[in-house]
Amino acid sequence: MNYPHWQLAFPGGLLIGVVAILHVFVSHFAVGGGFFLVTTESKARRENDASLLAYCKRHSKFFALLTLVFGAISGVGIWFTIGLVSPEATSMLIHAFVWAWAMEWVFFFVEIAAAIIYAKTWETMDASSHMIIGWIYFVAAWMSLFIINGILTFMLTPGRWATTQNFWDGMFNPTFWPSLVARSAVCFLLAGIFGYVTLPRLGDAAREKVARWSALWTVGGAVVLPIGLYWYLAKLPLFSHLYLNGSLIGVTHAVRGGLGFTALAVLLAVVFGLAKPRWINTPVVVVMVVCGLGSIGAGEYLREFLRKPWVVNSVVYANDVRAAEVESWQQKGIARTANFLTTDNTASLEYGRNVFQLQCGSCHAATGYRGMKSRVDGWDAAFAADILQHIHVLRGTMPPFAGDETDRKALGKYLASLNDEWHFTITGANRLEIGKKVFDARCGHCHTVNGNFRPLRGTFENATGPQVQDVFPALGSMSSNMPDFNAPADQAEALGFYIAHEANLPLAHPRAPEAPPTGVGHSQLQRPLNPREEVR
Amino acid sequence: MQTLPIPHVDPMPLPGPVWLFVALLLVVFTLHVAAMNSALGGGLWALWNYLRGRHSNHPYSRRLANELSQMLPVFLAFTVTLGVAALLFVQVLFGNFLYTSSILIGSFWLLVIPLVMVAYYGYYYFSYTAEKGKGIAGCVLSVSVLVLLVIAFIFVNNMTLMVRPDRWLAMYRAHANGWDLNLGDYQLVPRYLHIVNGSVAVFSAILAHLGMRKMKSDEGYGRWLVQRAALVFAGSTGLQFVFGMWLLMAIPRQIAMSLLRDPLAGSVFGLALITVIAGLLLILLGSLSEKPSALVNAGFGCVLATLFLMVCLRYLLRLAYLKPYAHLDALAMRPQWGVIALFLVLFVGGLATVGYMLWLVARGRKASAAS
């Protein structure tokens, strides 16, 4: 809020995600593919295989065009994007790690020079010099991964840095090595997949050889990858672990998608590379590349998600608010602390929209991807203003609201304005259905009835609708994190009916409350209310 | 005076002394500008000679366009690589200004990324097709050059906006979505012309130097190149004085005066005038003389010196603008000396590695030419 907020029609985080996924896809290939090229070259020379060497030449041209241009420029694209979307976090990282980036830049520089030379000197350089260039390329590329990996893992697990602020503590943080292993494995995997893109034509002697050889890389990467990931999971902080317990649909999809894409890519490599290399054809290669992109996409999505609500754990929230400033903003209010607002009139809807952009805009937009409209349907302005105090305990991964009462009211008004106010004619036939709608709007963000996210069954089992309804006026005082109940009487009645109905359904699979990965408690309730307190 | 909305500086201390960041910034930015001038100026030279070679079948023009076509992607690669380093260091010192101005023109600013890709792939395409001289090679090259001109324009917008906090809030209120440019700024037009025309001038000096080396293997072609390049260099340098004066007049008197009266900035400016005039004379004389090498070399050195001095002057101008708002001396500092030392070691090692690779290239060329 120090900085102007770039007001987009979609969440800024989505933009970072898209740019990052494309870049990671190509840049990991840039590392693994370098290794692939130079080892394939030496294999070709050792075996005196002219057609394999011709393949290397062609592949190196493709490699240079993809990595030097798209790979390198999209990397700059990440710089541009994070500076635009999260200037505060970018600035923080630059202050802590500018020398890491400077070192990384040295390797980047060497890498670019080596890639250009390697692709251009097939004819004019003797074999051993040419391979030296290839090796220099690979070492430089992998070293730049090594350094960037330090900064990326730091953002999730600052480790001892949190107390010492020591550069090396930050770099070699708890997830540094596991992540390095996983990323290196991905580099191999992608090198194999991309190896097929320039597959020699049908009838070329090298075609089957390349198909087999590339498959070995993909399979090799796929063998090491789970080891890295397993180790990585073991080092994750508690709050990240809890996101994996199944209560967040996006996370669940990403885990399934990531596993599925990777498994399919490996399966194709085994079948069309190792078992029946004669069968390989363009559509198969296309599917493999798409699978590679899919698994990178899922992996990056998860990595970003597990870090929520932070950009830099314990320092800067995902909405670019510094943890240290939250309290003062809650006291002073946004109108007095934000440098750039499009209006000074705190009573206006436009002000509410500004607050939304500042506090929620990096992860939500009004409509579309992770859109607000459907998520706040049924909220009235007073309820919205109230629940905003507890935004960090909703399902999701949200930072605390950093504004005062005026700001909450303004944002509440804005959120309520996204949908029409609810008016129902409740009958016996639609009572249950409407009760569910009311539940979703007023309780479902923080509770389930029978699920594993703050289940209400324990409280309301054996209660009747009116008995449930009797509890409502007391809700606000039952937990410091629960909003006051203010729904109209007819909706309250339907809600009571619905909760009582659900809480008394026989459970399909009566089961003991499942233990989350941390081993205590029975739901996401165990997640520390203030993730700041927990740094591992 | 009403206080302007300027984001406060980062609460974390600087991880190194200000002078070191300034020194690194000035050095890498000079190199970046040299590479950028080659990519843009070289693109314009290539375009002109490609068209001339095709229409009048001028053999030297043809040859030059071909040779340039191989260099352009490399120039652009180093423009980007060195630009990243400059961006890194400028963020450390002026992040709160640069992030803000970038966000205000955010949508255009981000457009730079796809645009660079277009220009870059265009240059590669040209490098593969220039020699055959067929098809749409010329069109593609024009698009690349045009795109680079647009990118330069967006950059000039950002660089002029970052020193104008007085314009920020109004711009934000007009276009919070970042579809905005710093168009009303008096600096914009002269500064843009200054940098674009400067690209032609600098690259012409580089070409004069290159032509002189070509003379060793092909006297006629090399001499043609030296003379052409010297001519264009002289013309664009003359024009550069005009744009420079325009820029100086456009800047508010008070800032211009504080710049010229400042002993450091004044002497940098004076020195730059001397080196540029010396460079002009030496290159012109060299191009006319029987044996141009010594004169052209010296002139080329003067041009590089001018480039560096101009980069310093540009930096001092920024300081003059930001004087009321930025206080570099007052920034908290906690240098990470160990890491800095490691960086310097790697930096030297990296340069040595690149040098070694270039040596391998040269050796290979010699050997393959001999066989």
Side-chain angles (χ1 to χ4, degrees), chain B residues 343-359:
Chain B
F343 160 69
L344 292 175
V345 169
L346 285 176
F347 186 63
V348 173
L351 285 183
T353 311
V354 173
Y356 170 67
M357 290 194 293
L358 290 177
W359 178 77

Side-chain angles (χ1 to χ4, degrees), chain A residues 92-105:
Chain A
M92 182 266 150
L93 288 171
I94 285 277
H95 276 73
F97 293 113
V98 63
W99 296 116
W101 267 301
M103 288 190 267
E104 193 265 346
W105 173 77

Side-chain angles (χ1 to χ4, degrees), chain A residues 425-495:
Chain A
T425 328
I426 300 177
T427 64
N430 69 6
R431 179 169 290 118
L432 193 63
E433 185 196 329
I434 289 178
K436 177 170 176 3
K437 279 188 78 141
V438 179
F439 181 84
D440 288 344
R442 300 209 172 238
C443 318
H445 301 298
C446 307
H447 293 287
T448 52
V449 181
N450 296 320
N452 65 358
F453 182 61
R454 279 193 210 110
L456 292 176
R457 189 179 181 98
T459 311
F460 295 118
E461 210 164 8
N462 303 324
T464 64
Q467 282 170 333
V468 173
Q469 216 181 320
D470 283 345
V471 179
F472 293 165
L475 285 179
S477 56
M478 281 171 80
S479 158
S480 57
N481 271 311
M482 216 165 0
D484 287 326
F485 188 79
N486 69 340
D490 58 338
Q491 293 181 25
E493 197 256 356
L495 175 61

Side-chain angles (χ1 to χ4, degrees), chain A residues 2-3 5-7 65 69 80 84 91-92 95-96 98-99 105-106 120 124 129 165 322 325 339 341 344, chain B residues 5 7-8 10 12 15 21 70 81 85 96 100 102 109 121 124 172-173 176-177 334 336 340 346 363-364:
Chain A
N2 197 11
Y3 288 97
H5 180 85
W6 185 28
Q7 302 194 2
L65 279 178
V69 185
F80 274 48
L84 290 173
S91 169
M92 182 266 150
H95 276 73
V98 63
W99 296 116
W105 173 77
V106 172
K120 275 197 163 203
T124 55
S129 304
Q165 307 237 323
R322 282 177 188 268
E325 289 183 330
N339 275 318
L341 296 170
D344 296 322
Chain B
H8 57 65
D10 199 283
M12 270 180 88
F21 288 118
Q70 298 304 307
T81 316
N96 51 336
T100 310
S102 306
W109 185 237
Y121 277 121
Y124 263 111
Y172 187 66
R173 293 199 163 175
N177 60 9
R334 204 177 78 159
Q336 301 166 343
I340 295 173
L346 285 176
R363 199 184 61 169

